[in-house]
Structures are given as C-alpha cells and as structure tokens.
Amino acid sequence: MDEREILTRFKAGTLGRDDAARLLNGARQPRTETPFPPPRPESVPDPDHGVPDAHGASDGHGAPDGRGMSDGHGASVGHGASVRPGASVGHGASVGPGAFDGDRVLDSRAAADRATSTDLIAVVGIAGRYPLAPDLHAHWDNLLTGRDTSSAVPATRAWLASSAAGRRGHFLDAIADFDPEFHGITPTEAAQMDPQERLFLEVAWDALEDAGYTGSRLDALTTASGASRALGVFVGAASHDYALLSAGAWTPGAGAIPAAGHWGLPGRLAASLELTGPAQAVDTAECSGLTAVHLAVGALRRGECAAAVAGGVELLLHPARLADGAGEGVGAVVLKPLHRALADGDRVHAVVRDTAGGHRTRPRRPEPRAAEEAHESRETTARRIGSAGAVTGIAALTDAVLQVRNGVRITGGPESAGVPWPRTRDEAGRELPRTATVEIAAESGGTAWAVIEEYTAEPGGTDPGGDGGPLLLSAPTPAHLVATARRLADWLTATATADAPADADADTNAGHPASGPPPAGLARALRVGRAALPCRIALPASRGVTELVARLRHFADTGEAGPEGATADLRDGRGDPLGLDGLPETRDYLIALWRAGRTETLTRLWLNGVGVDWAALEAASPWAAPSQPPPPSARLRRPLWLGADRAPEEPEPKG
C-alpha cells in the first residue's frame, strides 16, 4: 500500500490514525529538505510526497493552473460578489455547489497528483468585530438572519456631527474604548495610538487565544533555523483618519500628533510578544486584508515563519470619508501549515488552498461553472458590513470560513436565512469538502482572491478526555482576573444549557448548568494555550461543571478562591522567591514532578511565579484542541482619545 492510498483511506475514515502513522512511517523515504520539524508519531505525519486527501488540487504557490480542481463546490464571496451556486458574477463569485474547470469535475485522484500537503494552510484561529457584532458569534447570527447592520452615525462620534445628518453606514460600537493595562500600555501612550492599531491588537490577541498560542506553545513555533516565537504578522490597512483629526486640531506647543504610518499595526504585536517572524503592513485598498493573507501564506510556504496572524482593519473617523453605505470592521486569522497543525493537535477551522494578491489585473484562478440557480438573490460583503475598505477581504474570508465550517450557505437578502449546504460526491461516491472562492476587486483596479476549503476531520479524532489537572486562569490585574472568571462561568453555563437534552430539568432550562464534566480539554487548553500573567487563580476542574461554575462565580463575587482553590498576585515582582527559574536543574525537576503525578506541587510553583511550561510537560500525552475553545480573556475598556485619557464629549441632546 503506497503513501497516497494510506492517506486517502485515513481521510475516508477506513483507516485509524495509529495504523496510518505506522504504515506511513514504513512507506516514507527519508526527507531531505523541510522548513518545519517532522510531526510527532502520534499524529499522521505530513506527506511531502503525496496529499492528505483526495479533495482538490493546486499548483502551489501561485494561482491555480486553470485546468480545474477536484472538488465540486467552486464558490466565492467577496466585494461585489453574487452568492449563487457556482456562479461567477462581477468582481466576485458564489458560495455554493459548482465545479471548477468549466463544466466538468476532474477525477479527484488525478487532481490530487498536482498538490502537496505543504501547499495547504490551516486556519487555526479566528476572531473579528463587525457592525452590530462584538464577536464572531454575533456576526454569524447576523449572517444567518440577514440582519441589516446599517445605522445612523453613532452619537458618540461628536466630531462627525456636522457631516452625519441623514447619513447611514455600518459602524462599530465604542471605537474609542481600549484596555491599555491588558496589553501593558500606559493610558497616555494608548490615547496617541491609532484606534485601528488598538482594535487590531485586541482582535489579533483574541485570534491567538482561539488558536491556543498566547502561552508557552508560542515558544514552540520554530523555523528550520531554530528561531522560536516564529510568528509572522501581516495587516491590511488603508486610512490615516486619526492622524488627520489630530493634525486638524493641532496648535503650536500641543506636542506630537499620532503617526500616519501603519507600521504600528503589525509592529506593536510583534514587539510585545517578542516575535521573530516577519511583520508587515499592506495597503492595496479594498484588497488589503486579503493581500495580507496572501503574503502570510507565502511566508509560511517559504519557511520564514511557523505560523502567522493575518488580518485587516478599517475605521471611519474623518468627516471627509463619511458616505452612505460606508462600513467598518476588524478581523484576523491565525494560519499554519496544515501538516504542522495536524501534528500539533490544533483545531482546524478551514483550509486555505490557494491565494493571490496585489495584482493590478485579475490573476488567473479556477472559474466556477455557470449558475444552476440563476434566481438566487445577490449578497455581498458590502451588504453585510458596508463598503468597508481595507477590511473587506478579511471579512469576506471570515464569512467563507464560517460557512464551510458550519455547512450553511448564506443566500442573502434581508428576509433570507442560512440554508443547509450539502456536500457533493465524486464518481466513486466519496463526499467532497465544501469550497468557497473569495475574490476582491478594488475600485483602483487591484484584485486578490483565496480558495477556502472545509476541513472534514478534526485532529486526533475526538476531544481529549477529562485530564484531572487544575484549571488555571491568569490576568494582568485582579479586576481582569475577576472579569475573566465571570466570563468563563457565563460561557460554561451557556454551553451546558445549549447541550442539555430537550427533556432536561427546569433548573437547567432556567440557565443553571447541567451536571457532568466540563467540556473535554478545557482545563488543558487554558493551561497550555494561554499566557501566564501576574494575577492568578487555580481551581480543581474534575468535579463537574456545576461545581466549577459555582467556584468561578464565588471568586468573581468575593475575590476568594474558596476551599481547594488558591490565588496569587505577582505584580510586586516578588514571585519565584527561591529563584528556581534561573537554575539549569529546574527543568528536570519540573519534569520529574510531572512524571510522578505531582500536579498540586506544580500548581503551587506556578502560583509562586515559577515558569511552568505546561505545554512541554504535557507534550507526550495525546492532545487535540477542544472543539469548543474557551472564551477570550476579558477586557476592561474605557474611552481614550486624541492625547487625553478620555473620549470626545457626547453631543448635548437636542429639543
């Protein structure tokens, strides 16, 4: 049995993971070149000589070769896109069934011969804020219901009042608000930062938490050269409104105005996390966000970084840019080579199969076939979030990821809702993944696109079981820790209630969490995937979700951890009183404690400020990211604006 057949059987579910790994280890020839370290034995290794599925094709680093792809779903969403099964309309195309390569579907095995696993990029983290949607859960609800997200100019933007009369757009809430302490920034410095930079910093952090890469797992992102924290940052942005507003209000002696450049967008995150990957801002108008994704994909394929954050941001702050239908938003995805994501147990939201960006003319890409349902209503990114400039591409890509992941196609229109999106089958009867093509064409003539494909199997098969380890939370201040504990309690309650059977008792239906264990892998995801910040709490996590929620709420209400729990505040710098972090023997000591099952001792050391690398200690255990990642850390935002630690005053009510 050759390597390709082994992998095809694994993807089809007829061959188990352990058997596939064993057979592949016997079938594979030694690798001579690879930009990434080989996967661990418990995962299916990356097949540089074949493909992990028989679902599609790409010629790798540029546009597809035009001969077609193996999936039967060629679809797209984008600026000016028409969402119809397999249709290509205007500067976008459709989300729905349809074959690439004109009017025929290529044989999946033949198409698979043209791709390699290192060409495939996994979306392992995702986050965003869009009009009337503070997070992607709310944004998805808006898409499902066809909600009109337009509104009048918010009253809090007093400086736009003279231009706002009769105008309607798609606006974010509370764009002046920011939590500087969470990111280690002073209020004065934060007030001088472009709000676009602040918003992207928050959303990029949320995406990294969703991926589980703000803690010690970030250190494990290494390139072939051995550089750790090899995370790239690529951001699309095209406006400088904040600097223009400050310049317009500037008087002699008033001090410096905010910088007009965009370097701070990727640079702030890269500097704060001490990243070693490339950091780049890009301005290609409406294509900016999607071009950032294209640059990130290229950097990953060249081995310049082990993972990358890519996104875009757009805010409407200057009166000159206020127009009917204008929009705002900020979004980010965390990207990683698929073979590394599978080896590391990451959750895969979707797969990026191909990208192109920054072209003055339309680059070659696979064309979907003619529409099968010409009456399908038009739906565009502009309708969902407005004409949103640099964020348009990342918003369209986010919508595509949500649709292929959830198996729901958004048909568009104010009265429409999402409809089931069935997979098609190849000639052998095998289901093919849903695929969407996102294409953005800027008014200036540039264009960019990406092919997004459903990932049909979670790494590791199932979530890890309850590991009995401690639940650890940390935050920059006690107030942040309380807010994060309350957020986690609310999320556990909502999750347990949503998962409860229809005949659950009245207490459950009233919003009290059901009994039973917390979501599998939750405690471990928090231990290994989150940053260890100064204010900490440790709670037992093995006694059921009801008790865990009660403990979290008790702490949120009283500030006390209660019996069997413990807290620590290391902000005074007196953590690690024995100086264990500086001793070369400490690593072996921690490993010995872990192997002996001394998790309580390890937890006490963590509470005392010792750098316990939970990801390294637990690396030998089977691991898969939880299918329901915990909510992001809580922020305590307040208005910060134009050189002062307050926002512009709201206008006086009229009449």
Side-chain angles (χ1 to χ4, degrees):
M1 187 184 304
D2 64 16
E3 187 175 329
R4 185 177 293 110
E5 185 175 354
I6 295 169
L7 292 165
T8 300
R9 291 189 180 187
F10 168 68
K11 287 290 289 185
T14 60
L15 189 65
R17 179 174 292 272
D18 292 340
D19 290 337
R22 177 177 53 80
L23 291 170
L24 280 169
N25 285 333
R28 174 170 290 115
Q29 298 297 319
R31 296 173 63 182
T32 57
E33 292 184 10
T34 175
F36 303 101
R40 296 191 297 268
E42 68 267 20
S43 299
V44 174
D46 80 278
D48 275 352
H49 308 87
V51 292
D53 57 74
H55 299 315
S58 157
D59 61 0
H61 303 277
D65 62 8
R67 295 194 301 271
M69 297 180 68
S70 66
D71 58 273
H73 303 277
S76 79
V77 280
H79 184 59
S82 173
V83 179
R84 302 189 302 199
S88 177
V89 180
H91 352 259
S94 64
V95 171
F100 293 119
D101 189 37
D103 58 0
R104 66 189 179 91
V105 181
L106 294 183
D107 173 76
S108 57
R109 182 178 291 273
D113 288 339
R114 300 204 308 273
T116 66
S117 68
T118 51
D119 289 328
L120 302 178
I121 303 297
V123 179
V124 298
I126 189 168
R129 287 177 61 184
Y130 296 103
L132 301 185
D135 54 41
L136 291 188
H137 296 290
H139 180 62
W140 180 239
D141 286 342
N142 289 345
L143 295 182
L144 288 176
T145 59
R147 184 181 185 184
D148 180 5
T149 64
S150 66
S151 66
V153 178
T156 51
R157 304 191 193 190
W159 68 98
L160 295 178
S162 61
S163 305
R167 299 286 192 185
R168 291 185 67 83
H170 302 254
F171 302 99
L172 296 184
D173 293 330
I175 52 109
D177 292 359
F178 183 62
D179 183 348
E181 288 80 11
F182 185 91
H183 297 282
I185 301 171
T186 67
T188 300
E189 183 183 7
Q192 285 292 103
M193 291 169 59
D194 187 334
Q196 293 183 134
E197 182 179 330
R198 303 187 323 207
L199 280 173
F200 180 77
L201 184 62
E202 289 189 341
V203 169
W205 183 272
D206 289 348
L208 286 169
E209 285 197 336
D210 182 67
Y213 282 106
T214 58
S216 58
R217 292 183 79 219
L218 180 60
D219 294 324
L221 293 176
T222 58
T223 61
S225 65
S228 64
R229 295 198 165 221
L231 180 74
V233 187
F234 301 86
V235 193
S239 62
H240 308 86
D241 291 7
Y242 200 60
L244 291 175
L245 288 175
S246 182
W250 185 85
T251 57
I257 63 174
H262 291 137
W263 165 244
L265 285 160
R268 177 77 63 171
L269 181 66
S272 64
L273 293 179
E274 299 180 343
L275 304 179
T276 60
Q280 185 173 349
V282 57
D283 179 357
T284 53
E286 293 92 336
C287 300
S288 299
L290 206 54
T291 301
V293 172
H294 172 64
L295 295 175
V297 168
L300 290 169
R301 287 174 171 164
R302 292 188 298 271
E304 295 174 3
C305 50
V309 176
V313 61
E314 180 80 12
L315 288 180
L316 298 167
L317 305 179
H318 197 279
R321 296 206 308 124
L322 195 60
D324 286 335
E328 301 178 320
V330 54
V333 292
V334 181
L335 305 174
K336 194 175 177 184
L338 179 61
H339 68 283
R340 287 303 314 156
L342 296 178
D344 294 341
D346 296 317
R347 184 190 187 204
V348 179
H349 294 275
V351 172
V352 179
R353 182 167 285 281
D354 244 325
T355 64
H359 294 259
R360 282 291 303 170
T361 58
R362 185 182 187 187
R364 243 172 357 128
R365 70 166 179 83
E367 288 292 347
R369 66 185 175 189
E372 296 173 355
E373 300 179 23
H375 65 276
E376 196 81 49
S377 61
R378 290 177 61 85
E379 174 62 71
T380 66
T381 301
R383 179 178 183 83
R384 297 166 186 168
I385 65 168
S387 180
V391 79
T392 303
I394 197 68
L397 184 140
T398 296
D399 292 355
V401 169
L402 295 176
Q403 290 177 76
V404 301
R405 188 185 73 183
N406 292 305
V408 175
R409 187 162 55 85
I410 306 301
T411 58
E415 298 179 357
S416 69
V419 298
W421 186 354
R423 301 186 186 99
T424 60
R425 296 178 180 272
D426 64 12
E427 293 178 358
R430 292 173 297 189
E431 282 191 336
L432 301 174
R434 305 172 183 94
T435 302
T437 300
V438 180
E439 183 174 5
I440 304 297
E443 293 182 1
S444 60
T447 186
W449 57 260
V451 178
I452 306 300
E453 183 177 277
E454 175 189 19
Y455 183 70
T456 55
E458 286 296 331
T462 58
D463 286 340
D467 53 20
L471 185 139
L472 308 178
L473 294 178
S474 68
T477 71
H480 285 90
L481 188 59
V482 164
T484 297
R486 181 173 288 112
R487 170 175 283 189
L488 182 59
D490 292 342
W491 177 81
L492 284 167
T493 300
T495 300
T497 302
D499 292 342
D503 58 353
D505 59 38
D507 283 345
T508 296
N509 291 331
H512 301 289
S515 59
L522 170 65
R524 189 173 183 185
L526 291 169
R527 286 197 302 272
V528 308
R530 297 288 174 94
L533 301 174
C535 298
R536 306 179 179 187
I537 184 171
L539 297 171
S542 59
R543 300 191 179 177
V545 66
T546 302
E547 183 171 333
L548 178 57
V549 168
R551 289 176 181 273
L552 288 167
R553 294 205 187 283
H554 175 76
F555 172 70
D557 292 340
T558 67
E560 299 176 355
E564 300 183 78
T567 61
D569 188 342
L570 307 176
R571 290 177 298 166
D572 59 6
R574 290 182 293 179
D576 186 22
L578 299 179
L580 293 178
D581 270 346
L583 300 177
E585 298 84 3
T586 297
R587 179 177 179 275
D588 291 337
Y589 173 54
L590 297 178
I591 291 174
L593 289 174
W594 174 258
R595 290 176 175 171
R598 307 288 187 184
T599 55
E600 291 185 4
T601 302
L602 286 166
T603 300
R604 287 197 297 271
L605 290 170
W606 180 80
L607 288 167
N608 277 280
V610 175
V612 179
D613 187 347
W614 297 98
L617 293 177
E618 304 185 41
S621 304
W623 160 250
S627 59
Q628 299 180 4
S633 299
R635 304 305 206 295
L636 302 177
R637 299 181 178 94
R638 65 179 187 274
L640 295 165
W641 197 258
L642 288 178
D645 55 353
R646 63 181 182 86
E649 298 293 338
E650 292 191 17
E652 293 291 333
K654 296 181 180 180

